Amino acid sequence: MKPDSEENAGMTTTEASASGADLRPIPRIAIQAFCETPDVAGVIERAATDRRMVKTHVKVHMGGAAGAVAFYASAPTPNLLVVESNQSSDGVLADLDSLASVCDPGTKVFVVGHQNDVLLYRELLRRGVSAYLVAPFDVFVLIREIGELYLDPQAGPVGRTIAFVGARGGTGSSTIAHNVGFALSRQTSADVLIADMDLAFGTAGLDFNQDPPQGIAEAVYSQDRVDEVYLDRLMAKCAERLSLLAAPATLERSYDFEPEAFDGLIDAARAGVPNVILDVPHQWSAWVRHTLGLADEVVLTVTPDLASLRNAKNLVDQLKALRPNDKTPHYVLNQAGVPKRPELKADDFTKAFGHEPLAVIPFEPQLFGTAANNGQMIVEVNPKSPVAGLFNEVARVVSGRGEIRRAKKRSLAPLLSKLQLGRRKSA
């Protein structure tokens, strides 16, 4: 076992549990656990399915310290070994002594115990244990402890990734993503990057009136070169705090990617930009599934029709399976109120997903058409438009700065009485 300083170790109880919103991805390491109770084994197995642990290789065994000693008598120990002991303080130390005889020098050890004992904790640290976790604890406590052990404490926080995807073609997901990214760049002092991931038909360059010579394609096809400096050269400046990785929007080649094709780009972007907007095309491929599974927030764009409801429900079910420790994806109901068109109600989506939409964007072809044709955002065309306010609200929520504020329902009677009074006076 490799000794660690007290700064890198910790005795953790359920009081230290948090939501996990600030957790960083764990590097590629091997983790094996030997548990004595089903509850602890279950927590570790759930942690193994978390998107922040996607690069790790985790195996969970039963048998506690005795099982670990027997197993590693003829096998090398992993990067991180988690051992549960249901014994008293003396029993935990005895288990650790027996484990030390089979542990390789480079292996780090977490001990899971059931005694909230400061003296035991200090003695475990003295013997080289990296952390002492007091059961019960949750998934986020475990991931945070692993991150503190393997991630550079001097490194700054990674950026937040927010993926936008349409439930079907033509929902306006890209328009929503671009306007929310623009609103976010104006709301905070933090930089925002919009990455147009639809390499064949992306519209971010048109929406921001940009035609950069380089963009996202160069980053995707140069994975071995992608870092913060290289990425900075590819980004086009759209506003004071807003940059764009534009899609080439050409059909000279096919864009078939491996699942991890965008990982290097996204990692480099997160290292240098606090807010990364991923404009994901409406398709279901290995890389789209992988990208949505790893994003910090997912926002679905739906329109008030049956196909959108069906597809969005399928997407939500898949994302829940991919992201078992994350909340249900957000959704925005777009293009509501088209004249003479039969539409599903917002309540239909609320019943299907169990929560209300972040926003209901009305159908305003004049406003959106003018913005699209001029290469502008909605707030630039009409700053006082209620739609601009909706984009501001969505940006505030998806950036983690609060929940959506619901407007109170007001009676129309006072307004109607004023209108009638005005008509009488004019008569």
Side-chain angles (χ1 to χ4, degrees):
M1 291 178 287
K2 183 178 179 180
D4 289 274
S5 67
E6 187 164 343
E7 292 180 356
N8 290 333
M11 180 173 65
T12 309
T13 67
T14 51
E15 295 179 357
S17 177
S19 66
D22 60 338
L23 296 180
R24 297 163 62 189
I26 306 301
R28 198 177 303 277
I29 58 173
I31 304 171
Q32 294 201 20
F34 284 80
C35 306
E36 291 191 354
T37 61
D39 290 343
V40 170
V43 170
I44 298 174
E45 288 172 346
R46 288 195 298 276
T49 65
D50 190 89
R51 58 186 171 83
R52 285 149 287 226
M53 297 273 284
V54 68
K55 294 181 180 179
T56 64
H57 181 68
V58 183
K59 295 186 73 173
V60 179
H61 312 268
M62 301 304 291
V69 171
F71 184 85
Y72 294 117
S74 58
T77 49
N79 302 108
L80 175 61
L81 176 60
V82 182
V83 177
E84 181 187 5
S85 178
N86 210 6
Q87 307 294 320
S88 63
S89 297
D90 291 339
V92 172
L93 295 175
D95 285 343
L96 186 63
D97 289 339
S98 63
L99 190 62
S101 63
V102 296
C103 260
D104 298 332
T107 294
K108 298 179 183 292
V109 174
F110 281 6
V111 173
V112 177
H114 297 261
Q115 306 292 325
N116 195 354
D117 187 337
V118 175
L119 295 178
L120 172 61
Y121 161 65
R122 290 174 178 170
E123 179 59 24
L124 289 172
L125 288 187
R126 191 184 69 80
R127 298 189 184 199
V129 169
S130 297
Y132 177 51
L133 307 179
V134 181
F137 55 90
D138 69 14
V139 166
F140 300 132
V141 166
L142 178 62
I143 297 175
R144 179 171 285 105
E145 289 292 322
I146 297 173
E148 290 178 358
L149 190 60
Y150 283 95
L151 299 173
D152 182 4
Q154 303 301 321
V158 295
R160 186 181 186 89
T161 54
I162 308 163
F164 288 79
V165 65
R168 64 171 181 81
T171 60
S173 177
S174 292
T175 299
I176 303 296
H178 304 162
N179 278 275
V180 169
F182 188 76
L184 184 56
S185 71
R186 291 160 63 100
Q187 286 179 6
T188 68
S189 58
D191 291 340
V192 177
L193 170 65
I194 296 177
D196 190 345
M197 305 179 83
D198 188 353
L199 273 68
F201 303 105
T203 59
L206 295 175
D207 286 352
F208 287 100
N209 197 24
Q210 296 279 338
D211 187 20
Q214 294 179 309
I216 195 169
E218 284 72 19
V220 174
Y221 290 114
S222 304
Q223 287 292 314
D224 56 333
R225 298 174 54 195
V226 174
D227 57 19
E228 293 179 57
V229 176
Y230 181 68
L231 203 60
D232 189 61
R233 296 207 307 265
L234 301 179
M235 295 189 300
K237 198 76 171 177
C238 297
E240 182 181 357
R241 298 193 177 277
L242 180 66
S243 298
L244 172 67
L245 274 177
T250 61
L251 303 180
E252 298 170 356
R253 64 191 304 174
S254 59
Y255 301 105
D256 301 319
F257 300 113
E258 295 297 321
E260 297 83 11
F262 289 86
D263 283 4
L265 182 158
I266 295 173
D267 289 344
R270 296 183 72 193
V273 184
N275 301 287
V276 182
I277 304 291
L278 304 177
D279 181 7
V280 182
H282 171 69
Q283 61 183 61
W284 195 244
S285 58
W287 75 264
V288 168
R289 184 177 185 273
H290 179 78
T291 301
L292 294 177
L294 296 184
D296 293 311
E297 295 280 356
V298 177
V299 182
L300 306 179
T301 303
V302 301
T303 48
D305 55 76
L306 192 58
S308 273
L309 180 60
R310 181 203 63 185
N311 293 354
K313 185 66 170 63
N314 288 340
L315 278 168
V316 167
D317 291 343
Q318 282 293 315
L319 291 173
K320 282 182 177 180
L322 287 173
R323 306 154 56 87
N325 301 318
D326 289 271
K327 59 188 176 184
T328 303
H330 297 295
Y331 69 99
V332 172
L333 181 57
N334 193 27
Q335 302 173 14
V338 175
K340 299 183 180 180
R341 181 181 72 175
E343 295 182 346
L344 298 180
K345 297 179 180 178
D347 288 347
D348 296 321
F349 290 86
T350 300
K351 291 176 183 177
F353 303 140
H355 60 96
E356 296 181 346
L358 280 182
V360 178
I361 309 294
F363 176 70
E364 294 193 20
Q366 182 70 32
L367 177 62
F368 281 90
T370 300
N373 290 337
N374 292 345
Q376 293 178 300
M377 296 294 100
I378 295 299
V379 70
E380 295 177 301
V381 175
N382 186 356
K384 297 182 180 180
S385 167
V387 176
L390 290 174
F391 287 133
N392 287 331
E393 278 291 281
V394 174
R396 186 178 62 84
V397 175
V398 298
S399 63
R401 291 181 290 122
E403 295 299 322
I404 199 76
R405 289 193 287 256
R406 302 295 176 188
K408 295 181 179 179
K409 293 182 180 180
R410 298 178 181 176
S411 172
L412 294 177
L415 178 61
L416 292 175
S417 63
K418 289 181 181 180
L419 291 174
Q420 292 172 355
L421 180 61
R423 289 171 182 168
R424 288 172 185 168
K425 288 182 177 180
S426 61

